[in-house]
Amino acid sequence: MTLPLPVLSPPLLLLLALVALGRHGRRPGALPRLAEGGALAALVLALCGALQTAVAGPQALAIGDGPLAIVLRLDLVGAAMSLLIGFIGWVVVRYARSYLDGEAREGAFHGLLLATLAAVQVLALAGSLATLVLAFLAIGLGLRRLLMFYAARPEAQRAATKFTLVSGAGDVALVLASILLWHGYGTADLAAINAAAAAGSAPAGTGLAVGLLVLAALLKSGALPLHGWLTEVMEAPTPVSALLHAGIINAGGLLLIRLAEPMQASPGAMAALVILGGFTALFAGLVMLTQAAVKTALAWSTIAQMGFMLLQCGLGLWSLALLHIVAHSLYKAHAFLASGTAVQAVLAVRRPGPVAVPGLVAVGRAFALALAIYALVAGGFAWAFGAKSGQATALGAILIFGVAYLVAQGLADAAPRALTRRTMQASTAAAIAYFTFHRLAEAMAAGALPAPPVPGPLETALLVLTVLSFGLVAVAQALFPHWAHHPAAAGLRVHLANGLYLNAVLDRLIGGFRTTKPL
């Protein structure tokens, strides 16, 4: 059997991490360049692994046997995630060379960064329940140490403590789910569990196990109401915020994708993901719009995107969920690393002039036009390539609502003709891009991930409710300039800026995390 090359990345990164932790002080010589070289080597191995998968198909390496066997499996999901983690990891390590230059614990940071990357690479290739659990535990330990890099800051202590509690609860849920799955299916191999579930096997305890998997995914993804730790990671160095998007904050989605067949066999679990994921996306998206700090707004954006990822999993759009993880990780990691430059760029330019405010008629026309364009594009793709599932069509409608907001700007009475033309082009391009990437993702994932289930009455009702909810929020956002100066709107903005105090309530319930001694 050919050795899957990406499995060499974790031991390489761990070896370099041990070297870095041994030289944990300021300006540790050539160590930052050595760390960058190791991260680049991991990226090259991931690229070779992707080529291996394309040529030879899935491959696996097993260490030991039985329920505690460590299995590393290189398949479509593993190759895509390993390549993503390798690329973002290399960029983050390279960025950290300059960002941490001269810090008192510069060497220690590189060591912790490499060790955490090694754990995430193991998670990407996990082929057994034991490997999943160990990888999640190792990621939690590494990320806690990174969050505590500035250990003297009470805010950093609070964020690390809150993360430990939430992540630890997710680990407990995952361990219990793993025990139930192993006991029910008689195997801890993920491929065997998926095959048995696809064949219709549903042993006793599977329902509870799937419910625990949903809980673990919610806790690991920063979903409401236990999202507060994610908005407080700003106390860690900026590379940590970018590193989160290299398979850490989106690990909940990866967990669901890895066990897609048992998940899809439970309509209740899928419905829970749709409801909780959709609500998280809507709520966090609204809060994001009220944030003044760039990094805090990006953190709330991440929460919203993770909610949308969970929604995609709940709809059974597994290939799109994987594509979303890759696309969001790339753009959000770049956004965090470029946040300082973005602030400087905004301050350097002149204030924009008056903005065209669309009226109620313009907004109605915009949404009708955007949906009409979407319907035409969907019809064209259906004629050329065959009809898609109701879930995919509904998801596309949700995405097009964001473009409809731009179209409304272009249809305002005071809008210049060039703006109107650009917004129409944007709506058309967004619809074409959605269906194009969807088709490509499904073609690549054919046979590797299950197809979306046929929606029943419950799923249909949830689809309609989800589309209407996102549509109403998009319309309210488009009309916001008309009621933004009302006292009630000002009060609502304050409450939203504080996340409706859900994080404060959680702090109060669990003791407030007093991290400093009273004077």
Side-chain angles (χ1 to χ4, degrees):
M1 179 183 295
T2 305
L3 177 70
L5 291 178
V7 305
L8 300 176
S9 297
L12 170 64
L13 295 174
L14 278 177
L15 178 62
L16 293 175
L18 291 174
V19 174
L21 291 172
R23 303 184 60 186
H24 53 77
R26 179 184 286 112
R27 298 257 167 77
L31 179 60
R33 291 186 177 276
L34 185 63
E36 182 189 343
L40 180 59
L43 172 60
V44 172
L45 289 171
L47 181 59
C48 293
L51 295 175
Q52 269 187 307
T53 306
V55 173
Q59 303 168 50
L61 172 68
I63 303 174
D65 52 22
L68 299 181
I70 301 300
V71 180
L72 299 175
R73 182 175 176 82
L74 181 64
D75 53 10
L76 171 72
V77 176
M81 291 301 300
S82 180
L83 189 58
L84 172 70
I85 294 162
F87 178 70
I88 294 180
W90 170 60
V91 172
V92 170
V93 172
R94 181 177 176 83
Y95 182 91
R97 276 182 49 200
S98 301
Y99 188 92
L100 273 295
D101 184 44
E103 286 279 354
R105 298 176 59 237
E106 180 182 353
F109 183 87
H110 287 289
L112 293 171
L113 195 62
L114 292 174
T116 306
L117 276 173
V120 182
Q121 285 283 9
V122 172
L123 178 64
L125 300 171
S128 68
L129 294 172
T131 312
L132 271 178
V133 171
L134 289 176
F136 270 112
L137 290 173
I139 291 171
L141 291 173
L143 186 56
R144 174 179 167 80
R145 295 292 301 274
L146 287 170
L147 293 176
M148 285 285 290
F149 184 72
Y150 298 119
R153 297 181 180 178
E155 295 82 0
Q157 298 172 28
R158 182 172 62 247
T161 305
K162 191 177 297 185
F163 163 76
T164 301
L165 288 177
V166 174
S167 180
D171 292 333
V172 171
L174 178 59
V175 169
L176 294 176
S178 299
I179 293 173
L180 290 172
L181 289 172
W182 165 67
H183 184 267
Y185 287 102
T187 179
D189 185 79
L190 298 184
I193 292 174
N194 279 311
S201 176
T206 303
L208 178 57
V210 169
L212 289 169
L213 287 175
V214 170
L215 177 60
L218 292 170
L219 292 170
K220 294 293 184 181
S221 300
L224 268 66
L226 302 177
H227 59 284
W229 69 270
L230 186 56
T231 64
E232 296 174 1
V233 298
M234 306 305 112
E235 295 301 322
T238 295
V240 178
S241 299
L243 180 68
L244 281 175
H245 298 85
I248 297 179
I249 188 58
N250 38 38
L254 177 60
L255 171 64
L256 297 175
I257 292 172
R258 279 297 188 189
L259 290 162
E261 292 288 2
M263 289 298 309
Q264 194 154 291
S266 174
M270 299 289 278
L273 286 172
V274 171
I275 295 171
L276 296 173
F279 181 74
T280 297
L282 281 172
F283 178 75
L286 289 173
V287 175
M288 176 198 68
L289 297 174
T290 66
Q291 301 302 307
V294 173
K295 288 187 179 180
T296 306
L298 289 174
W300 278 103
S301 171
T302 294
I303 296 173
Q305 293 289 343
M306 293 304 97
F308 204 74
M309 174 194 68
L310 295 172
L311 169 65
Q312 290 171 318
C313 292
L315 294 176
L317 300 171
W318 305 106
S319 57
L320 269 182
L322 180 61
L323 177 63
H324 183 267
I325 289 175
V326 174
H328 173 257
S329 297
L330 292 172
Y331 115 79
K332 191 56 67 67
H334 172 268
F336 270 107
L337 295 180
S339 56
T341 305
V343 172
Q344 294 175 356
V346 170
L347 294 176
V349 300
R350 297 177 58 186
R351 294 289 181 182
V355 177
V357 177
L360 181 60
V361 175
V363 171
R365 288 169 53 204
F367 277 79
L369 191 57
L371 289 174
I373 292 174
Y374 173 71
L376 287 174
V377 174
F381 271 83
W383 175 78
F385 303 103
K388 300 308 300 173
S389 64
Q391 296 95 314
T393 304
L395 185 69
I398 292 172
L399 293 175
I400 213 67
F401 286 145
V403 182
Y405 171 78
L406 299 177
V407 176
Q409 302 292 319
L411 294 180
D413 294 336
R417 187 176 299 274
L419 178 60
T420 303
R421 184 169 56 252
R422 287 199 302 270
T423 55
M424 297 297 295
Q425 293 169 349
S427 181
T428 305
I432 294 174
Y434 168 72
F435 281 102
T436 300
F437 282 113
H438 188 185
R439 298 286 177 168
L440 289 174
E442 280 201 335
M444 294 180 64
L449 294 172
V454 177
L458 174 62
E459 290 78 9
T460 301
L462 287 176
L463 278 174
V464 174
L465 177 62
T466 302
V467 172
L468 289 177
S469 299
F470 277 89
L472 288 174
V473 170
V475 171
Q477 181 184 357
L479 293 172
F480 181 76
H482 294 281
W483 51 274
H485 301 293
H486 192 280
L492 178 61
R493 183 182 182 88
V494 171
H495 297 318
L496 284 176
N498 288 279
L500 296 186
Y501 312 101
L502 291 176
N503 193 29
V505 171
L506 178 62
D507 284 352
R508 183 66 60 87
L509 288 175
I510 53 184
F513 294 140
R514 294 196 180 105
T515 55
T516 57
K517 295 181 179 180
L519 297 176

